[in-house]
Amino acid sequence: MADTEVRIVLKGRKIIGGRAEGEALTSKMPLMGWGCVNEKLGFVTERNHPLYEIPFKGKVLVFPEPRGSGGFNAYGATRRYNTNPAAFIYRQGFSLTVLAAMIMKVPTITDFDRDPVEVIETGDYVYVNGDEGIVEVVKKKK
Amino acid sequence: MYLNDGEKRILDGSKGYIAQKCMKFLVDYGEAAGAQRLVDIDGTVDIHPGLKTTWVSDYEITLTEIKELAARGEKFKVPTIGNKPIEPAFIVDGWQNCGTYPSSDPEHHKKCLENIKPLIQMGMVPILSCTYYLVSSYLPTAGQHCSWGESSAVPWANAILGARANHDGCFQSAYLGKIPAYDMHLSENRVATILVECETKLETDMDYDLFGWAVGEAVGIQVPAITNIGKPTWSQIVKMNSGLNTGGQVRMYHVPGLTPEAPTLEAAFNKTSCKHKIGIGRGDLKRIYDMLNYASNENVDFVFLGCPHYNIQEIQKVARLLDGKKCKSALWVMTNPISYQVAERMGYAATIERAGGILMSGACPGILRGEMPPASVMATDAAKQNYYMTGHVYPRALDTWYGTTEDCIDAAVTGKWQGGWR
């Protein structure tokens, strides 16, 4: 039987518009800033974190929520060092994620009809339409 | 987003270029956040003084622009408090003998003070501490809208005072006295959605630090109603808030009988039914304690105390523990500049200095981006400072011990970590 491509569409709320696509990098654990992400190197430096030292440049970064310090804006600062993800996708956030997204200026969507952390796995290919708040996920072949 | 006529006039530039630039930020931020409107701040704003008092660089108000405003006699519209300085961070008091660079450089210190002068001219009260709310001599009251900018402080506004604050304090909100009305400004977002029952007796300051972390980790960004936590001291509430916002991001919570929006448990849930309930026990605290003891080398080079910045009772405790002793390890004890002066008057700064430690104010190794005495093994009584520090010094390896203040002082004096779960 031929492989059939599995596509899933998620609808959320736009934070930052624009279009992007790329491979997903998903964290089930919240992300935190202030030394727990290195904006110059473009990866998580939080000890015990599943994304520790995994570069997120060009990836569609998917995570549940922020935690910790207002230094979360270091995610935004990745833009300055050209290490930023292609898009920012999260289940739920507030000022920490909004301000980081405004600095990062990549398509950013939240408040989805389904939990993006459950639906999108690392390695899935993701099309992000920030203007419409739509994410299309092409599941990786198993 | 809806704007009233006055706000529209600021946005169209009728009130000047800087006001327009500030309003543009508030509107773009509000729209990104999904806010329907702006709210007039009737409480307080806190900003991190330094070269960057704005969150998003596209909307930056430069030091030159702030100097121009100050020279014209312009003032912040609402009571504005200076948090710990950042960009750059600097040690406010006690830096002279710290031995680290650039903090020990008099020129650096002078320049940092110069940078924040125009903000002070505009009316920013230079408390210069992350625990500004303990000593600022002016705080918002219940229901007042604020714009704060310190993760460990935001629950002091929301939960302890019943004021309404998101984590967005900045030059723009202070200058215009407005902020997007969303999240914690709206009553419906302040209602408890999860019940957290403490299943152990919280006694020490460390218990509250660990309990806060455990709750934060369990509830994430939800609003918990927390029960059975006894009668925490102010030191313990500060520690709990810090833990809540390291293990998670709890900007609002209720403790029936303690926090003003929850005279009862029913009030915390606003009569909605409580759908989720969890318990936090001694085992949870032990698990986090073990996770924080990210160390194997018992030879401690550096002890850091004062995250969040110590209050006077905590300094007193340290001074009494150190009295007549000599430290083998480097010791920094960090407080806010107001409590620093009180501690000097009480002789505690001298006691700490005689023991070989330094009392300081206004910063921490974290906000100094890992600047600390040469160390490969550090000990601290703060879960927050402990956890972030390994990232701040990345890729350098750092052992970080965690324990009670007593364990940390013992480590400073003996040079050995002898703490343990008791």
Side-chain angles (χ1 to χ4, degrees):
Chain A
M1 209 165 97
D3 281 351
T4 43
E5 202 177 65
V6 178
R7 283 186 177 246
I8 303 170
V9 175
L10 298 176
K11 179 86 183 83
R13 183 170 65 83
K14 163 192 157 180
I15 301 289
I16 305 291
R19 283 167 181 263
E21 60 184 87
E23 236 181 56
L25 180 64
T26 302
S27 173
K28 299 242 178 202
M29 193 167 163
L31 297 182
M32 67 201 305
W34 203 50
C36 285
V37 62
N38 188 310
E39 63 268 33
K40 291 175 188 158
L41 298 170
F43 52 68
V44 167
T45 45
E46 177 183 350
R47 68 198 199 212
N48 312 324
H49 199 283
L51 296 194
Y52 186 76
E53 290 183 335
I54 300 174
F56 46 61
K57 179 179 174 171
K59 306 275 185 187
V60 173
L61 189 57
V62 183
F63 63 102
E65 60 202 24
R67 73 165 178 164
S69 160
F72 189 83
N73 64 357
Y75 272 96
T78 57
R79 178 72 187 227
R80 198 187 316 155
Y81 300 100
N82 194 30
T83 61
N84 56 284
F88 218 35
I89 303 292
Y90 55 92
R91 185 200 293 149
Q92 212 189 341
F94 46 94
S95 58
L96 259 53
T97 41
V98 173
L99 293 168
M102 287 177 77
I103 305 167
M104 207 192 291
K105 293 190 280 190
V106 299
T108 302
I109 310 177
T110 187
D111 296 341
F112 289 93
D113 49 2
R114 290 171 68 184
D115 184 354
V117 174
E118 292 302 322
V119 175
I120 309 172
E121 295 169 278
T122 295
D124 291 349
Y125 200 82
V126 185
Y127 297 88
V128 181
N129 182 338
D131 303 312
E132 305 285 331
I134 289 172
V135 166
E136 194 174 352
V137 187
V138 181
K139 298 298 291 178
K140 70 177 169 197
K141 302 235 164 55
K142 299 238 164 132
Chain B
M1 192 166 71
Y2 166 81
L3 295 181
N4 65 30
D5 289 345
E7 290 160 354
K8 280 182 193 156
R9 274 197 298 280
I10 299 172
L11 189 61
D12 73 21
S14 312
K15 302 284 175 187
Y17 169 68
I18 303 280
Q20 181 184 32
K21 204 159 133 184
C22 289
M23 184 56 83
K24 181 86 174 87
F25 167 73
L26 293 185
V27 170
D28 289 352
Y29 165 42
E31 288 190 339
Q36 304 292 312
R37 61 184 176 88
L38 297 174
V39 64
D40 289 331
I41 293 169
D42 49 4
T44 63
V45 172
D46 83 73
I47 58 182
H48 287 99
L51 296 178
K52 283 187 185 160
T53 48
T54 60
W55 289 104
V56 182
S57 45
D58 285 1
Y59 307 84
E60 193 173 332
I61 311 295
T62 64
L63 181 62
T64 311
E65 288 171 328
I66 296 171
K67 276 183 180 165
E68 280 170 22
L69 290 177
R72 285 211 300 267
E74 293 226 30
K75 306 295 176 200
F76 288 121
K77 181 116 185 184
V78 291
T80 299
I81 310 295
N83 199 320
K84 66 182 189 286
I86 62 170
E87 304 283 355
F90 67 99
I91 300 167
V92 177
D93 299 290
W95 54 275
Q96 289 87 344
N97 300 315
C98 70
T100 61
Y101 188 81
S103 291
S104 58
D105 176 8
E107 281 306 312
H108 172 73
H109 191 261
K110 202 173 135 195
K111 185 98 183 50
C112 288
L113 284 177
E114 279 296 319
N115 289 343
I116 68 172
K117 259 191 184 163
L119 296 166
I120 298 171
Q121 276 176 277
M122 290 186 69
M124 181 199 75
V125 182
I127 301 294
L128 309 182
S129 170
C130 60
T131 55
Y132 57 88
Y133 51 88
L134 295 181
V135 288
S136 61
S137 86
Y138 186 85
L139 287 169
T141 57
Q144 287 189 325
H145 294 278
C146 301
S147 173
W148 283 24
E150 179 71 50
S151 66
S152 63
V154 166
W156 200 278
N158 286 314
I160 303 302
L161 300 175
R164 299 181 169 214
N166 288 333
H167 189 297
D168 52 16
C170 57
F171 184 90
Q172 290 95 335
S173 55
Y175 184 58
L176 295 181
K178 291 174 184 290
I179 198 73
Y182 77 108
D183 202 27
M184 287 303 124
H185 293 286
L186 309 179
S187 300
E188 62 265 31
N189 297 324
R190 302 171 62 85
V191 178
T193 53
I194 184 166
L195 174 63
V196 179
E197 284 181 347
C198 181
E199 292 166 347
T200 181
K201 191 162 185 246
L202 301 178
E203 287 174 299
T204 64
D205 293 359
M206 187 179 84
D207 283 349
Y208 283 89
D209 200 21
L210 292 170
F211 177 75
W213 184 299
V215 174
E217 190 183 68
V219 309
I221 64 174
Q222 300 176 77
V223 176
I226 306 170
T227 61
N228 196 32
I229 61 165
K231 287 194 288 183
T233 64
W234 275 44
S235 310
Q236 289 165 346
I237 296 174
V238 172
K239 285 209 165 273
M240 184 172 78
N241 288 349
S242 173
L244 282 165
N245 283 296
T246 312
Q249 235 296 343
V250 179
R251 50 226 190 283
M252 171 68 182
Y253 62 82
H254 302 272
V255 178
L258 177 73
T259 57
E261 281 176 53
T264 63
L265 189 58
E266 291 69 32
F269 286 93
N270 194 23
K271 295 173 197 139
T272 57
S273 61
C274 163
K275 291 189 188 76
H276 305 285
K277 182 173 140 182
I278 57 165
I280 298 290
R282 191 56 44 185
D284 295 298
L285 273 53
K286 169 74 162 63
R287 179 176 52 78
I288 293 152
Y289 177 88
D290 288 342
M291 185 271 295
L292 292 170
N293 275 295
Y294 191 75
S296 54
N297 187 342
E298 289 172 354
N299 299 307
V300 175
D301 307 307
F302 173 48
V303 175
F304 178 75
L305 304 172
C307 167
H309 293 164
Y310 266 178
N311 63 44
I312 192 64
Q313 290 300 321
E314 292 169 309
I315 302 170
Q316 183 179 71
K317 180 177 175 180
V318 165
R320 286 176 180 172
L321 288 166
L322 277 176
D323 196 12
K325 299 205 172 80
K326 274 280 176 207
C327 290
K328 284 196 174 135
S329 314
L331 169 67
W332 286 9
V333 183
M334 196 63 71
T335 183
N336 57 69
I338 307 287
S339 300
Y340 182 91
Q341 285 180 22
V342 179
E344 272 196 317
R345 201 170 299 140
M346 296 178 80
Y348 298 148
T351 305
I352 293 168
E353 202 176 314
R354 270 197 305 276
I358 310 177
L359 182 68
M360 299 172 164
S361 80
C364 65
I367 205 66
L368 294 166
R369 293 287 178 119
E371 189 188 326
M372 60 166 90
S376 56
V377 184
M378 172 180 167
T380 180
D381 64 350
K384 176 176 181 174
Q385 193 78 198
N386 171 301
Y387 193 69
Y388 283 103
M389 198 46 58
T390 43
H392 281 301
V393 301
Y394 180 91
R396 190 161 74 76
L398 182 70
D399 279 23
T400 55
W401 294 106
Y402 170 80
T404 62
T405 311
E406 289 83 350
D407 286 342
C408 290
I409 292 294
D410 177 74
V413 170
T414 64
K416 293 267 176 207
W417 183 256
Q418 297 173 93
W421 183 254
R422 288 172 196 102

